[in-house]
Amino acid sequence: MKSVVVLGGYGNFGRRIVEALAREPDVRVFVAGRDLKQATAVAQEIGGAAEPLRLDAHAGDFTAELRKAGATLVVHTAGPFQGQNYSIPQACVAAGTHYIDLADGRGFVCGITALDAEAKLNGTLVVSGASSVPALSSAVVDALGAQFASIESIDHGISSGARPPGKATMDGVLAYAGKPFKQWRDGQWHQVRGWQDLTRRSYPTPIKGRWIANCDVPDLDLFPERYRGVQTVQFRAGVDPASNMIALWFASWLVRIGVLASLQSWVPTLHRTASALARYGSKRSAMHVTVRGVALNGEPAVRSWFLLADQDHGPFIPCFPAIALARKLVRDEISIRGAMPCMGLLTVDDIISVGEGLDLRVVCG
């Protein structure tokens, strides 16, 4: 029997992953974290193969505890990842345990290859970024890219509904508000600022127009390497309603000009406020990927892909790649070993099929 340890298994993402994997035959799924009371409550609520496990991933005996639990795989959901080191995946490798995380921190995901040799030596797979970016985004570009002789630009992003993400996710994405980071544009690196360059993006009905702005994600480094010859890679995100997005854009300027050092200290207040007001806002989210370049017939071409979510089902999507990859591992359907960002391991269908039964719609154009 395989055993999956979900770190942060009682959090927003962790709970969804536990629930999905607990349906797998011959698999034990541990709701793991430092709070045994919360872990027990979630395990009892989900039932089936879910079991509580008190586990401190930062303790010195973490590797020994993984061996004791007979862990086949660890799924790390306890962000934010922007300030984390690689002690957890390193402990997993030492225990001979596969590792998946949902990180969207640019440095964390891109740097995971530092563990490649060690992971191969121990026969483990270490995957970072099994989430909307770069897992789903790269799978879509791979699919669209098959229609091109060369790719010139990739423009992609996410617009969420009014329901806020978990505090850890909000902390991660607001950490760089107003702060500089690099973006590949016109064949050169340019400096941009987080949550600035506000742009109006059109989505298919019923979402239509949304405001989006610069976000710092792993794709900005990974895509220029993966899709050689691409001249521009942009990622923007936004929130609904528009008033929240305009407020975030304004706050990013307060950081940029030095009035505020960061928005991170405001996260608890912002999260409470957004949660209280969510019922008055939209339940619709969207993701877009637009690829421009030269088609196989030599003509200029543009291809777009949209994922539309209703009924507040958008926040489930970041879990899909981790669930899809975990299923492949416990079913022994993947043999690759080493440490890598989550690209080239899953197809779009692998990922989207996880959401069967949810109010999701793919539109291509």
Side-chain angles (χ1 to χ4, degrees):
M1 178 175 283
K2 306 286 177 61
S3 295
V4 179
V5 173
V6 182
L7 296 177
Y10 41 77
N12 283 341
F13 292 149
R15 178 191 298 256
R16 292 164 185 157
I17 292 170
V18 170
E19 189 170 7
L21 297 181
R23 304 189 197 110
E24 287 291 305
D26 300 318
V27 174
R28 301 169 70 195
V29 184
F30 290 105
V31 183
R34 286 176 289 187
D35 191 327
L36 183 60
K37 184 177 180 180
Q38 287 195 65
T40 301
V42 169
Q44 290 176 345
E45 179 184 334
I46 293 173
E51 301 178 32
L53 178 65
R54 189 189 182 284
L55 191 62
D56 184 350
H58 300 288
D61 63 349
F62 179 55
T63 298
E65 289 297 313
L66 289 179
R67 292 193 180 111
K68 184 178 176 181
T72 306
L73 166 67
V74 166
V75 182
H76 182 12
T77 73
F81 291 86
Q82 278 80 355
Q84 293 192 32
N85 58 28
Y86 295 125
S87 61
I88 294 175
Q90 285 175 321
C92 292
V93 171
T97 301
H98 301 305
Y99 167 93
I100 299 170
D101 68 46
L102 280 72
D104 62 1
R106 184 171 177 174
F108 189 95
V109 175
C110 296
I112 199 70
T113 53
L115 305 183
D116 187 58
E118 187 179 356
K120 287 177 178 174
L121 186 64
N122 284 270
T124 57
L125 178 61
V126 173
V127 178
S128 187
S131 194
S132 303
V133 292
L136 177 54
S137 55
S138 64
V140 173
V141 176
D142 286 350
L144 295 180
Q147 305 173 48
F148 288 83
S150 62
I151 295 176
E152 295 174 358
S153 70
I154 302 169
D155 176 10
H156 61 312
I158 295 170
S159 176
S160 68
R163 181 181 175 184
K167 288 182 184 177
T169 301
M170 183 177 280
D171 186 276
V173 299
L174 293 186
Y176 51 79
K179 304 288 181 69
F181 58 85
K182 294 188 305 175
Q183 185 184 87
W184 185 248
R185 191 168 67 237
D186 298 326
Q188 298 182 39
W189 289 108
H190 293 262
Q191 180 177 284
V192 298
R193 299 271 178 165
W195 296 103
Q196 300 204 339
D197 296 328
L198 201 62
T199 302
R200 189 73 170 169
R201 174 75 203 195
S202 294
Y203 290 98
T205 303
I207 293 179
K208 300 183 180 179
R210 290 277 181 89
W211 290 105
I212 56 176
N214 294 332
C215 279
D216 191 17
V217 295
D219 304 26
L220 299 182
D221 277 332
L222 297 173
F223 283 12
E225 289 292 323
R226 183 170 180 81
Y227 307 106
R228 291 289 185 171
V230 68
Q231 296 296 297
T232 297
V233 177
Q234 295 179 320
F235 181 90
R236 297 186 179 97
V239 297
D240 195 68
S243 57
N244 287 5
M245 191 61 204
I246 300 301
L248 177 53
W249 170 80
F250 178 77
S252 75
W253 274 100
L254 296 181
V255 174
R256 181 171 181 172
I257 65 177
V259 175
L260 296 176
S262 168
L263 295 186
Q264 286 179 286
S265 62
W266 291 85
V267 166
T269 300
L270 292 171
H271 192 271
R272 282 195 303 270
T273 303
S275 298
L277 297 176
R279 59 179 173 167
Y280 303 110
S282 174
K283 297 179 183 295
R284 295 170 177 145
S285 304
M287 179 175 181
H288 72 272
V289 179
T290 296
V291 175
R292 291 177 172 82
V294 179
L296 298 176
N297 63 4
E299 297 292 327
V302 180
R303 299 286 184 271
S304 292
W305 179 95
F306 301 93
L307 177 58
L308 310 179
D310 208 334
Q311 302 303 315
D312 272 337
H313 289 168
F316 288 85
I317 295 168
C319 304
F320 290 179
I323 293 168
L325 188 57
R327 285 173 173 168
K328 284 182 176 289
L329 279 167
V330 298
R331 295 172 185 175
D332 295 320
E333 294 176 354
I334 187 166
S335 59
I336 189 170
R337 298 294 182 260
M340 64 202 72
C342 194
M343 299 189 300
L345 299 172
L346 299 165
T347 67
V348 175
D349 287 344
D350 288 335
I351 296 168
I352 300 301
S353 65
V354 174
E356 184 178 356
L358 298 180
D359 195 342
L360 306 175
R361 181 164 61 100
V362 172
V363 178
C364 297

